[in-house]
């Protein structure tokens, strides 16, 4: 797994990234660096289950926000971890392959990520790296955290939720030629995890805005929940979709998209991450270890989904 473009097509093996991950000397070195036993035997499902259990050692969030990840305290072999993360495709993203996409999905997240992704998507379209029918901003009614509010005030004054930020970014990067049509289901104030929003604004490209309902009321909506809301809203079969995220999250969010959007709807999925120099956050070794765990979890879920279709 290097800087090869993250592209799924229906004529390709959906488990290609999984096989690459399990064959990676970089992953094995990282596991053994943290005193883990490399699962050399068994099929992909068994090996990934073993790696998922081991990767709890890299679970620095413990169910909390990514902002809860403690900074590198100097006890880790930082340079080596970053080099291995680079070999696993978490550091330098491949450029977009280009051409025409039916939809460009700008994934939500923390304020710095949302801002960089929106700007990058607008730059790709504005400089002719690709064309698209519609751009979709995808998030939830998650309340902004204290650690992201200062940044959000710079581009979304008064925003209280992730979807507020996304709407402000959509208007800034794709200036409106017509007003939004917005519908909300549920009560975002009383039960934000059970509420959802759909917005649409005509134009070239057209712009959509989503806040997804969580499939698990004990947590905020996750990336897969936003994918499902989008898929329910559009005629997705046999289409071409580009995901715009942050480089560190691209491998796991790509595999989630293959599982949730590519396989069921026979659609082509490409995922591109914002280049590190465009990110407003410096990711240190603990963040890369956390997202390597995310990659393992998503790889395991993809294998289970593929086996269920057989």
């Amino acid at each position: 797994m290097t800087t090869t473009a993250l592209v799924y097509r229906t004529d390709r093996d959906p488990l290609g990234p999984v096989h690459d991950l399990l064959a990676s000397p970089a992953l094995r070195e990282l596991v053994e660096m943290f005193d883990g036993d490399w699962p050399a035997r068994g099929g992909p499902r068994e090996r990934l289950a073993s790696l998922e259990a081991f990767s709890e050692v890299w679970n620095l969030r413990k169910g909390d926000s990514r902002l809860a990840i403690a900074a590198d305290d100097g006890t880790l072999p930082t340079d080596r971890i970053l080099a291995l993360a680079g070999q696993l495709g978490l550091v330098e993203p491949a450029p977009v392959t280009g051409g025409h996409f039916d939809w460009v999905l700008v994934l939500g997240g923390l304020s710095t990520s949302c801002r960089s992704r929106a700007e990058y998507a607008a730059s790709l379209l504005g400089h002719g790296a690709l064309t698209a029918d519609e751009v979709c901003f995808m998030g939830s009614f998650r309340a902004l955290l204290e650690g992201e509010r200062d940044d959000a005030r710079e581009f979304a004054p008064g925003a209280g939720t992730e979807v507020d930020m996304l709407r402000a970014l959509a208007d800034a990067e794709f200036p409106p030629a017509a007003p939004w049509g917005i519908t909300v289901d549920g009560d975002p104030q009383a039960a934000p995890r059970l509420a959802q929003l759909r917005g649409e604004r005509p134009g070239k490209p057209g712009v959509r805005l989503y806040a997804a309902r969580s499939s698990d009321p004990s947590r905020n909506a996750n990336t897969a929940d936003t994918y499902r809301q989008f898929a329910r809203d559009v005629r997705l079969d046999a289409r071409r979709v580009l995901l715009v995220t942050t480089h560190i999250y691209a491998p796991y969010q790509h595999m989630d998209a293959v599982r949730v959007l590519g396989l069921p709807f026979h659609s082509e999925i490409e995922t591109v991450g914002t280049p590190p120099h465009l990110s407003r956050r410096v990711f240190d070794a603990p963040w890369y270890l956390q997202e390597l765990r995310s990659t393992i979890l998503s790889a395991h879920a993809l294998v289970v989904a593929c086996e269920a279709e057989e």
Side-chain angles (χ1 to χ4, degrees), residues 96-109:
V96 67
T97 60
H100 183 75
F101 291 87
D102 296 286
W103 290 283
V104 172
L105 310 186
V106 180
L107 303 187

Side-chain angles (χ1 to χ4, degrees), residues 65 81 84 146 158 241 250 294 297:
S65 162
I81 289 172
L84 295 170
E146 189 62 36
V241 181
S294 299
L297 268 61

Side-chain angles (χ1 to χ4, degrees), residues 8 21 45 49 63 69 76 96 113 178 186 229 263 268 288 293 299:
Y8 166 72
L21 181 68
R45 184 169 184 169
I69 299 174
L76 295 171
V96 67
S113 295
Q229 182 191 23
L263 291 174
E268 179 179 321
Y288 281 104
R293 171 173 161 78

Side-chain angles (χ1 to χ4, degrees), residues 47-84:
R47 297 175 67 194
L48 286 164
S50 175
L51 288 169
E52 181 174 325
F54 162 77
S55 71
E56 184 64 32
V57 72
W58 298 328
N59 185 10
L60 307 175
R61 296 173 59 185
K62 303 299 182 184
D64 206 341
S65 162
R66 285 178 168 86
L67 292 180
I69 299 174
D72 189 347
D73 61 5
T75 62
L76 295 171
T78 298
D79 290 346
R80 188 58 186 160
I81 289 172
L82 296 183
L84 295 170

Side-chain angles (χ1 to χ4, degrees), residues 72-135:
D72 189 347
D73 61 5
T75 62
L76 295 171
T78 298
D79 290 346
R80 188 58 186 160
I81 289 172
L82 296 183
L84 295 170
Q87 293 177 37
L88 289 162
L90 276 70
V91 177
E92 288 288 347
V96 67
T97 60
H100 183 75
F101 291 87
D102 296 286
W103 290 283
V104 172
L105 310 186
V106 180
L107 303 187
L110 297 172
S111 59
T112 51
S113 295
C114 288
R115 192 177 185 185
S116 296
R117 295 168 191 177
E119 292 173 352
Y120 189 46
S123 174
L124 291 172
L125 285 157
H127 290 93
L130 57 96
T131 58
D133 291 331
E134 294 191 274
V135 180

Side-chain angles (χ1 to χ4, degrees), residues 250-261:
Y252 97 78
Q253 291 181 330
H254 179 73
M255 285 190 278
D256 279 351
V258 171
R259 173 172 58 88
V260 178
L261 301 176

